[in-house]
Amino acid sequence: MMRSASRLIVLIIAALPAAAVAQTLARYAIVGDGIPEPLTGQPGDPTRGRALVLARSSTCILCHFGPFPEARFQGDLAPSLAGAGSRSTPAQLRLRLVDASQVNPDTIMPSYYRIDGLTRVGSAWRDKPILSAEQIEDIVAYLATLRE
Amino acid sequence: MRPQALLAAALLGMALPVLAGEIAPSGRRSGYDFMSADSKAMQDDDTANPAMLSVLEGETLWTTKAGAADKSCSDCHGAVDVSMKGVAARYPAFSAASAAPVDLGQRVNLCRRQHQEADPFAPESRELLALTALIAKQSRGMPITAGGDPRLASSVARGRELFVQRQGQLNLACANCHDDNWDKHLAGSAITQGQPTGYPIYRLEWQGMGSLQRRLRGCMTGIRAQAFDFDAPDMIALELYLMSRAHGMTMDAPAVRP
């Protein structure tokens, strides 16, 4: 019974046009200056998170630099990620990644888990968040290990 | 427009305050200033600058008869180093025919159509890059003057609006990088002020020539925005704003850029 119901939902989602599929972002609750609960309901994997932070497609080190000796090209548009886990709680890190503009309305840091309020997004990227809920959790888990 | 009106427009322009984040005239720097010594040397020496091959091709095209009218550029304009001196420095310019700005490539294509009765060159074609490189070279060392024509005011304003508008999946405005963070680095690259002094350029990353429009499309794709089509009115407005923003800066076309 349960299984066929969830399969039905999957089918409906697959058949919906892009704009409606876009609404399938996991829901989350902001409490204070953070998002206390993982977007996926479970903690992420810090090893995968480190690889994601270094991957060009994630865009983090276009702007940031940090304790990544193997990465030749790092940015200096943004503060070092070294010690990010000492300065912020996992809940704060999660909100910062999901939608940094909630922390600082003028920030240049993109909102990695937001699809509304954007202008002229290229067709390849339209109605998709920059990172998935799983990827955000992996990165949060990794950043939390950056202590100093 | 009467001279008094022109003067009034000029005074108004001068009275406008520098907007937050905008670069003061004394602080403006060409992309050249951010380059490595090797790249600077390549640009400075005409025998090493790969863009000069395109200029040579442009010289041939300048004197080649074309189209149903069987005329060459030089049949109407004469020697390029005389008639085209300073021209690129004032483009995009107002075209009375379309009551809108046209950039240098579009101007070349207008001549192709109207005076040579030939098909226009495609955007980024070898021929169009060669002729625009040849013409731009005749403005080397001269100050940029584009954007002063009062009939262009609304297009300049539109270009500025586009420049400061957040766009794309990364939700960044041109100004976020080129006004506010030009002294910093994106991954390994110097961000620069995005000054359009050297176009068309030979870009090392492209291993070839390209126009300012191609460069702008690169930045738009970089922030995951839908890049403007070649020659779209918003594209020309953005080019025009960049040129007016660089008012008084020295042209160094055809430049080398990383």
Side-chain angles (χ1 to χ4, degrees), chain B residues 23-91:
Chain B
I23 301 161
S26 61
R28 289 183 302 191
R29 289 168 61 194
S30 155
Y32 177 89
D33 292 350
F34 296 79
M35 295 202 300
S36 69
D38 283 354
S39 301
K40 284 182 177 167
M42 190 188 277
Q43 175 171 323
D44 291 342
D45 176 0
D46 279 351
T47 65
N49 182 345
M52 294 310 290
L53 293 171
S54 184
V55 170
L56 279 178
E57 217 176 309
E59 282 172 0
T60 305
L61 286 168
W62 184 259
T63 54
T64 303
K65 292 184 189 299
D70 199 34
K71 279 187 196 153
S72 69
C73 315
S74 63
D75 287 339
C76 291
H77 295 287
V80 69
D81 56 347
V82 179
S83 61
M84 294 296 130
K85 199 169 170 55
V87 168
R90 57 181 165 82
Y91 269 77

Side-chain angles (χ1 to χ4, degrees), chain A residues 56-59 61-63 73-77 105-108 110-111 114 117-123 125-126 128-130, chain B residues 162 165-172 176-177 180-181 183-189 191 220-228 234:
Chain A
R56 203 170 168 96
S57 56
S58 309
T59 72
I61 62 170
L62 287 181
C63 290
F73 300 111
Q74 306 184 30
D76 59 7
L77 273 182
D106 300 324
T107 190
I108 57 168
S111 299
R114 192 181 101 195
L118 302 174
T119 306
R120 291 212 350 271
V121 177
S123 51
W125 302 284
R126 207 167 294 158
K128 293 174 197 141
I130 305 171
Chain B
L162 294 166
Q165 176 184 57
R166 300 262 191 155
Q167 53 176 310
Q169 193 191 37
L170 302 189
N171 202 27
L172 289 166
N176 286 142
C177 287
D180 302 341
N181 284 297
D183 50 347
K184 307 231 172 69
H185 298 80
L186 191 68
S189 324
I191 288 175
M220 291 185 221
T221 307
I223 50 182
R224 304 184 181 182
Q226 192 65 44
F228 297 143
D234 276 348

